[in-house]
């Protein structure tokens, strides 16, 4: 029996740092909403289905204005997330009862590619827990509460972590159940939950420096430039 591969796409962010009344996943990026781009890549990929997690009160809007408007057939469920990212992931995982694999992706990363998705699928089937990312280019400083540098870690051992973060479903569900039971609010990504609560090693896979997350207005400008370049190359 074929093990199902599910994409869990998070679109519940409030976008407070975007300085806009429009949530970042619905902001216009060239001709489409930001969320459209990542959903399109998953729709055309080898994943079997997509679960979309949205903000409170956004299910009907997202179903109509995103899923139905752009004919995303692989989106099988639209569920309501929580106030924080980890709560949204947990809510999304709760509606998955199959065995198989899940690729957890931030909908605010519109420049994900088909190559990154396939790398994640191949990686999770081999390693059971993996994330895409890239080695850092800049020197990183660890600072104290007074913002004084106290340590400079070796750059060669540091990666920028991106999404998708991909796991065997059983592993990540168990980890999240333990985290929620512990009422741990200090986790910053899915890999951290799996590392901390299942003690499972996380394989890092090379993604792409262009796979940026839109968090601030500047990011939207950068994403537009990268998207324009891609479109020019495809002509």
């Amino acid at each position: 029996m074929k093990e199902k591969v599910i994409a869990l796409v998070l679109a519940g962010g409030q976008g407070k740092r975007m300085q806009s009344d429009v949530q970042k996943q619905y902001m216009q990026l060239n001709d489409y909403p930001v969320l459209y781009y990542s959903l399109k890549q998953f729709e055309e990929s080898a994943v079997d289905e997509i679960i979309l997690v949205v903000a409170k009160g956004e299910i009907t809007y997202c179903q109509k204005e995103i899923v139905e408007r752009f004919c995303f057939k692989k989106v099988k469920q639209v569920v309501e997330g929580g106030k924080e990212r980890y709560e949204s992931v947990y809510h999304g995982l709760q509606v998955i009862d199959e065995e198989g694999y899940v690729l957890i992706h931030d909908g605010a990363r519109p420049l994900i590619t088909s190559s990154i998705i396939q790398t994640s699928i191949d990686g999770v089937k081999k390693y059971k827990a993996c994330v895409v990312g890239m080695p850092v280019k800049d020197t990183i400083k660890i600072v104290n509460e007074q913002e004084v540098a106290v340590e400079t870690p070796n750059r060669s051992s540091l990666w920028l972590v991106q999404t998708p973060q991909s796991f065997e479903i059983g592993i990540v569900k168990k980890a999240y159940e333990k985290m929620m039971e512990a009422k741990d609010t200090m986790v910053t990504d899915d890999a951290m939950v799996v590392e901390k609560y299942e003690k499972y090693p996380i394989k890092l896979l090379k993604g792409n420096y262009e796979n940026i997350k839109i968090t601030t207005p500047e990011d939207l400008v950068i994403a537009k430039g990268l998207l324009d370049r891609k479109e020019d190359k495809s002509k």
Side-chain angles (χ1 to χ4, degrees):
M1 182 178 175
K2 179 179 179 290
E3 291 182 302
K4 188 174 282 189
V5 179
I6 297 171
L8 182 60
V9 179
L10 306 173
Q14 298 302 307
K16 295 173 183 175
R17 284 175 283 180
M18 286 301 296
Q19 302 167 21
S20 171
D21 293 332
V22 180
Q23 294 173 354
K24 59 187 176 183
Q25 57 269 23
Y26 303 130
M27 294 181 82
Q28 201 76 359
L29 177 57
N30 284 6
D31 298 326
Y32 301 98
V34 167
L35 180 58
Y36 163 87
Y37 294 94
S38 54
L39 288 178
K40 183 175 186 291
Q41 290 295 334
F42 281 112
E43 180 78 18
E44 297 174 353
S45 75
V47 304
D48 298 295
E49 68 178 66
I50 302 165
I51 295 171
L52 185 55
V53 185
V54 300
K56 184 177 181 179
E58 295 288 343
I59 291 179
T60 301
Y61 173 85
C62 203
Q63 182 71 44
K64 183 179 179 181
E65 296 299 327
I66 301 292
V67 179
E68 294 175 10
R69 179 184 174 190
F70 298 113
C71 301
F72 290 127
K73 303 298 184 185
K74 286 187 178 180
V75 178
K76 301 303 182 184
Q77 295 188 70
V78 181
V79 302
E80 191 173 282
K83 290 184 178 180
E84 303 295 336
R85 183 188 186 279
Y86 69 87
E87 293 174 309
S88 293
V89 175
Y90 179 72
H91 288 186
L93 291 174
Q94 293 306 293
V95 303
I96 301 175
D97 54 12
E98 299 94 346
E99 293 183 1
Y101 308 97
V102 60
L103 279 59
I104 304 171
H105 183 66
D106 295 324
R109 290 185 187 271
L111 294 168
I112 185 175
T113 63
S114 57
S115 175
I116 289 175
I117 293 173
Q118 192 58 52
T119 294
S120 297
I121 293 172
D122 294 340
V124 74
K125 288 182 176 180
K126 182 176 181 180
Y127 301 108
K128 300 185 187 299
C130 58
V131 303
V132 296
M134 293 298 288
V136 301
K137 297 177 180 180
D138 301 320
T139 296
I140 304 296
K141 297 285 186 182
I142 297 175
V143 301
N144 61 19
E145 293 178 356
Q146 289 73 44
E147 297 185 347
V148 174
V150 295
E151 186 180 347
T152 305
N154 187 339
R155 187 171 62 187
S156 65
S157 65
L158 299 175
W159 281 50
L160 291 167
V161 174
Q162 304 172 342
T163 66
Q165 301 199 1
S166 310
F167 309 92
E168 187 177 78
I169 291 169
I171 292 172
V172 70
K173 285 190 75 172
K174 285 179 185 176
Y176 262 91
E177 291 287 354
K178 291 177 182 177
M179 183 210 72
M180 295 300 286
E181 188 177 337
K183 298 180 180 178
D184 184 353
T185 61
M186 300 304 292
V187 295
T188 54
D189 73 345
D190 313 303
M192 184 177 177
V193 178
V194 171
E195 291 167 31
K196 186 172 181 179
Y197 290 97
E198 282 298 289
K199 311 299 182 187
Y200 208 91
I202 308 296
K203 174 68 175 177
L204 271 291
L205 307 172
K206 278 196 175 179
N208 189 313
Y209 285 114
E210 295 183 1
N211 184 24
I212 64 170
K213 184 176 181 181
I214 293 179
T215 305
T216 65
E218 294 81 8
D219 297 328
L220 200 62
V221 175
I222 294 168
K224 185 183 187 311
L226 293 170
L227 196 60
D228 288 345
R229 190 178 69 178
K230 279 187 176 185
E231 290 173 353
D232 287 342
K233 284 183 178 180
S234 65
K235 289 178 182 178

